[in-house]
Amino acid sequence: MHGVWGRVLYIDLTSKKIKEVGIDPKYYLEYIGGRGLAIRLLWEWNPIGVDPFSPYNHLVLATGPLTSLPLPSSGKLQVASKSPLTNGYGDGNIGTMASYHLKRTGFDAIVITGALRKPGYLYIENNKVEFRNAEDLWGIDTFTAVDKLVKEHGKNVGILLIGPAGENLVRYATIVSQKGRSGGRPGIGAVMGSKKLKAIVLKGTLEPSIADKESFRKYAEEAYNKILKSESYDFWIRQGTMATIVWGQHNSVLPTMNFREGIWEEYESISGDLMEKLKIGRRGCPFCNMMCGNIIYDIAGEESELDYENVAMLGSNILLSDLRRVAEINKLADMMGLDTISLGNSIGFYMEASERKLVDEKVEWGDHREVKKLTLDIAYNRGLGAFLSQGVMRMARSLGREAEEFAIHVKGLEVSAYDCHAAPAMALSYGTSPIGAHHKDSWIISYEVGTDRLGYSKEKVEKVVFLQDVRGGMFESLTTCRFPWVEVGLDLEYYPKLLTYVTGVTWTLDTIRTVGQRIYALIRAYWIREHGSWDREMDYPPIRWFKHPLTKGAYAGHKLDYGGYNKMLDMYYEMREWDDRGIPRRSTLEKLGLEFTIPILEKIVELK
Ligand code: PTT
Ligand code: SF4
C-alpha cells in the first residue's frame, strides 16, 4: 500500500537496542494507521496486565497514511499507551512538526519499551537513533527545555517532550510540543516520565510515496480552497474553539462549579468575544489553513495559547474569572505538561470537597493565587498537590461515598468541558468513549442542542455511533485534524477519496466505518483484558448528572434519567453488536477479524 512505509521503529530503552519491525500489510487495510495501528500493536506487544509505569509498558507514536501530507490540517500525530489514569487504553492527538518528521523517517510509528537508568532523550534522524543524556533538562519546564533542544539541533526538527508533571508521574501528564500543543490526556506524558525519557527529537528527510500524485494534488488543493470559501471561515479565524464559551452558556452546558451547573453569571469574563479584543496572534499545526491557536498576553504579560476546553475547565468550572488569569494557569499547564481538562476537574473536585468540609486544607472557589500554587504543586507531586495529582477517581475513592457523588469522570478519565445534566446523548458519548470521558470521539452536543434536546432516542444513539466511527475511527487513524469537517463544513467525502489517491486502495466512507467498528471492538477487548472483568456500569456517566438537578438557567430542575440512559446504552450495544454487558459478541469479533482476542477474553468473561 502506498502512503505508508510498512514498518515501525522499535526502541528498547533498557538495552538501548533498536530494531526495524515489518508490519503485516493487512494491518493497514484493517486498521489504516494512527489509533488503529496503535491499539493493534499494544494488544500484541504489551504484556497482559502490565503496570502502566512498568518498563514493559509500550509507548506508541503513530502516523497514518494522510499524516503530514500536503492536504488540509494533516499535521497530527497519535500518542498511545496503557493509561496510568484509567488502567485501560489511552491515547491523544497532537498537532506538531514532529508528525511531519516522523512521517519522513521511513517508519509509520515509533514504539518505545524499557526504561532509561538516567534521564535521557532520543534523537532520531531517519533510521539513525541516538540515546542522549538529559540530566540537564530533567526538572525543567517544557518551554525552557524545548529552547535548549532547538539550540542543540536547530529549528528544522520536530520535538515531543514532557514537563515536570510527566517526570513526577502525575497521572494526567501529557506530551507537549511547540509551546502550546499538548496531547495524551490519559497520562501518556507520565508513561514517558516513567521511562526517564524527557524528549524525542525527530528529523525525517524521506518522502512517502503517493499512488496517484496528480489526482491527490488537485483534490487536496480543492479542499484547501473550499475551506477558505466556507461561510464560517471568518468567524472561525477570529475565535476558533473559544466561540464555544458563549455557545455553552446559551445552551446551559458550560461546566460550572465542578459541573454543578451549566451556566455562569460571569461567563463574559472568559468569552471568545473578550479573547478577540485581547488577541495578539494565531498559531497552528502543520499544513493547516484555518489555524486556531489564539494567543493573548496573560496576567503576567506572557503569551498564552487558548482553546475552549482549557478556558472552560480552568475558568467557569473553578469560578476563576478574568481571561488573563485563566490564560496564566493555561500556560503553566503547558509548561508543566499537565492536561488542562483533568487539572480543572481535579481542582474543581477539591474545591467542592473543601466546601463540604471533607478535607482539612481549604481551597476557595476562584482563588487565583491558590490555583497557581496548586498547579505547580501538582506538577511536582508535592504537598496538597500530591493528593490532586492522582486525579478525581482516586481522590474520591479515598474520601468516601459522598465524594464519589461529585467525582466527574468516566473510567477514571475526567470529563471534558460539556455539562450533561440536560444532554443525554452527550452523556452517552462520554460513557462510551474508548479512552474514558472525552469529547473527541463524539461531539454530539452540537447536534443535540438543536434537536429533541432531552430525548433518549434511537436517532441520537445512531448519531453517536456514526460520529464515533468517523471521528474516533477515521480521523484518529488517517491521522488528520477533524476541524475542517466539523468547523467549516468540508465534505466528509474528501477523506475516503484522498485516502484512495494516496494509498492506491479504493476506500469509501462505509469501508472506513467498518475499520472504526473494528478499532472500537478491539479497544473494548483491550479494556476487558486489562481490567480482568467488565460491567455495563463502566459505561455510565458521573453520578452527579443523575442525582443533582441543575438549579439555574433554562434547564433548571433537569437531570439525567437512569431508565432513559440505560435504554440508550442497550441500543448502543445492539448497534455495535455487543452484548448487554458491553462485551463484543463472539460473532462480532469473528466478523471483524478479531478472532485472536477470543481465547484471551474467554478466560475472563463468558462470550455470548
Ligand atoms: C485534547 C484536549 C483538548 S481538546 C484540549 S482543547 W480542544 C485541551 N488542550 C490542552 C492544551 O492545549 N494544553 C494542555 N496542557 N492540556 C490540554 N488538554 C486538553 O486536551 C488540539 C485541537 C483541539 S483543541 C481539538 S478539540 C481537536 N482535537 C482533535 C483530536 O482529538 N483528533 C483529531 N484528529 N483532530 C483534532 N483536532 C483538534 O485539535 P488530546 P493539539 Mg490535543 C495546548 O490532545 O489528548 O487528544 O486531548 O492536540 O495539537 O493541542 O490540538 O477545544
Ligand atoms: Fe491544528 Fe487548529 Fe488547524 Fe486543527 S484547525 S490542524 S487544531 S491549527
Side-chain angles (χ1 to χ4, degrees):
M1 195 165 100
H2 292 268
V4 296
W5 298 100
R7 56 181 179 269
V8 307
L9 181 61
Y10 192 92
I11 302 174
D12 185 339
L13 296 175
T14 307
S15 64
K16 298 204 171 151
K17 288 201 171 127
I18 62 160
K19 58 183 176 185
E20 299 181 10
V21 183
I23 296 297
D24 187 339
K26 84 169 192 237
Y27 281 15
Y28 298 97
L29 299 174
E30 290 178 348
Y31 302 97
I32 301 179
R35 173 187 265 181
L37 187 60
I39 180 59
R40 187 65 185 86
L41 297 181
L42 284 174
W43 177 276
E44 212 165 306
W45 292 344
N46 245 8
I48 297 176
V50 70
D51 180 334
F53 288 147
S54 142
Y56 298 105
N57 189 15
H58 289 76
L59 169 66
V60 182
L61 317 173
T63 63
L66 298 192
T67 303
S68 275
L69 294 183
L71 66 109
S73 311
S74 64
K76 291 279 192 178
L77 180 73
Q78 202 67 219
V79 295
S81 190
K82 180 169 175 184
S83 158
L85 194 57
T86 68
N87 261 314
Y89 172 76
D91 69 19
N93 195 298
I94 316 181
T96 163
M97 277 306 287
S99 75
Y100 173 93
H101 285 284
L102 175 46
K103 182 78 188 173
R104 286 161 181 78
T105 54
F107 300 99
D108 299 316
I110 295 174
V111 181
I112 299 169
T113 188
L116 297 168
R117 276 195 296 120
K118 288 184 189 161
Y121 75 94
L122 292 169
Y123 176 75
I124 301 172
E125 188 170 337
N126 297 337
N127 65 354
K128 188 185 81 182
V129 179
E130 289 174 20
F131 295 84
R132 301 273 190 114
N133 186 295
E135 281 168 292
D136 59 334
L137 298 176
W138 205 251
I140 289 183
D141 69 81
T142 61
F143 287 28
T144 311
V146 88
D147 285 343
K148 285 182 179 249
L149 287 165
V150 167
K151 209 166 170 197
E152 172 77 18
H153 297 285
K155 278 190 176 156
N156 188 22
V157 290
I159 302 174
L160 300 167
L161 76 169
I162 57 167
E167 296 170 11
N168 292 307
L169 309 187
V170 175
R171 289 182 191 272
Y172 44 93
T174 55
I175 298 178
V176 179
S177 195
Q178 302 177 186
K179 300 187 178 180
R181 299 274 134 192
S182 153
R185 288 197 54 213
I188 311 302
V191 172
M192 207 162 139
S194 72
K195 299 185 177 307
K196 291 251 182 315
L197 184 61
K198 177 73 179 178
I200 302 162
V201 182
L202 292 149
K203 184 164 184 163
T205 57
L206 311 171
E207 272 311 313
S209 71
I210 295 177
D212 182 348
K213 271 192 187 153
E214 195 41 32
S215 303
F216 170 76
R217 193 192 57 73
K218 271 195 195 149
Y219 205 55
E221 199 177 297
E222 185 183 306
Y224 273 123
N225 287 329
K226 284 235 166 183
I227 290 171
L228 294 178
K229 287 184 190 138
S230 151
E231 272 179 21
S232 34
Y233 185 78
D234 284 345
F235 186 56
W236 173 259
I237 290 298
R238 276 170 34 213
Q239 294 210 358
T241 59
M242 282 294 292
T244 316
I245 295 280
V246 171
W247 178 89
Q249 171 78 6
H250 288 163
N251 289 295
S252 292
V253 297
L254 185 69
T256 303
M257 282 185 104
N258 191 32
F259 289 85
R260 198 180 293 181
E261 302 291 347
I263 59 165
W264 186 35
E265 292 75 7
E266 294 180 48
Y267 74 98
E268 281 168 333
S269 74
I270 57 165
S271 74
D273 300 334
L274 175 62
M275 183 278 298
E276 264 197 75
K277 292 184 190 134
L278 302 175
K279 186 167 164 176
I280 54 159
R282 278 196 299 139
R283 282 196 211 126
C285 315
F287 296 106
C288 183
N289 67 343
M290 48 182 284
M291 294 199 294
C292 67
N294 289 305
I295 320 282
I296 69 165
Y297 287 127
D298 69 13
I299 197 84
E302 303 278 331
E303 289 184 7
S304 177
E305 184 177 333
L306 301 177
D307 264 308
Y308 166 70
E309 302 288 331
N310 307 337
V311 173
M313 294 313 302
L314 299 172
S316 53
N317 198 50
I318 56 173
L319 302 195
L320 182 55
S321 53
D322 187 341
L323 193 57
R324 292 181 312 141
R325 285 186 206 278
V326 174
E328 187 186 34
I329 310 300
N330 170 61
K331 181 186 173 172
L332 210 49
D334 283 342
M335 292 175 78
M336 295 296 119
L338 275 171
D339 173 45
T340 51
I341 296 174
S342 292
L343 178 66
N345 266 290
S346 297
I347 295 175
F349 171 86
Y350 190 86
M351 285 171 167
E352 180 153 0
S354 133
E355 182 186 24
R356 291 170 180 249
K357 301 196 171 30
L358 297 177
V359 287
D360 296 333
E361 255 179 275
K362 192 146 185 63
V363 179
E364 301 276 1
W365 294 103
D367 183 340
H368 173 243
R369 256 180 53 181
E370 193 58 39
V371 168
K372 192 171 159 185
K373 179 177 177 302
L374 257 183
T375 302
L376 285 169
D377 286 350
I378 291 169
Y380 286 96
N381 218 333
R382 65 190 179 205
L384 183 54
F387 183 56
L388 278 85
S389 73
Q390 310 171 79
V392 165
M393 178 178 74
R394 288 174 175 79
M395 279 194 284
R397 277 184 190 156
S398 71
L399 294 181
R401 208 180 148 81
E402 182 183 343
E404 304 243 16
E405 291 206 0
F406 59 90
I408 311 297
H409 70 90
V410 176
K411 300 182 181 71
L413 184 67
E414 288 78 9
V415 173
S416 45
Y418 303 94
D419 185 84
C420 293
H421 280 89
M426 191 63 211
L428 181 71
S429 296
Y430 282 136
T432 57
S433 151
I435 61 166
H438 196 31
H439 61 287
K440 76 172 164 190
D441 281 64
S442 163
W443 192 60
I444 196 170
I445 190 83
S446 64
Y447 168 82
E448 188 162 42
V449 298
T451 176
D452 154 37
R453 165 96 185 241
L454 299 170
Y456 294 80
S457 67
K458 185 173 176 197
E459 191 198 347
K460 283 188 180 178
V461 182
E462 278 167 351
K463 187 93 178 165
V464 168
V465 174
F466 170 76
L467 288 173
Q468 289 180 339
D469 288 349
V470 169
R471 295 165 61 113
M474 184 175 85
F475 283 104
E476 297 312 304
S477 303
L478 289 177
T479 302
T480 72
C481 178
R482 59 174 186 262
F483 280 167
W485 170 58
V486 177
E487 303 291 351
V488 298
L490 183 69
D491 196 333
L492 214 44
E493 287 300 333
Y494 274 91
Y495 294 94
K497 272 206 179 167
L498 286 166
L499 188 60
T500 301
Y501 293 144
V502 168
T503 59
V505 174
T506 305
W507 293 90
T508 64
L509 213 45
D510 280 345
T511 55
I512 292 178
R513 277 198 72 178
T514 305
V515 171
Q517 286 153 20
R518 181 174 297 116
I519 292 172
Y520 257 67
L522 184 54
I523 293 181
R524 177 51 58 104
Y526 188 79
W527 275 91
I528 298 167
R529 185 184 98 169
E530 298 307 302
H531 275 245
S533 62
W534 199 257
D535 191 290
R536 63 188 278 136
E537 286 191 9
M538 291 290 280
D539 292 334
Y540 283 2
I543 302 170
R544 158 158 276 169
W545 294 338
F546 290 111
K547 280 207 158 178
H548 310 130
L550 294 171
T551 67
K552 294 180 185 168
Y555 289 91
H558 284 281
K559 59 186 170 72
L560 290 179
D561 172 56
Y562 264 114
Y565 186 82
N566 267 320
K567 197 180 80 181
M568 279 180 123
L569 196 54
D570 281 336
M571 289 189 267
Y572 176 87
Y573 291 154
E574 221 27 69
M575 286 175 207
R576 287 236 167 268
E577 298 179 39
W578 299 355
D579 69 21
D580 57 4
R581 300 164 298 171
I583 299 170
R585 293 178 188 280
R586 179 188 296 275
S587 55
T588 309
L589 294 168
E590 284 166 355
K591 191 171 95 181
L592 293 170
L594 299 173
E595 300 87 351
F596 58 88
T597 63
I598 292 176
I600 291 162
L601 293 181
E602 270 180 339
K603 288 188 193 149
I604 302 167
V605 287
E606 188 197 338
L607 287 181
K608 292 189 181 165

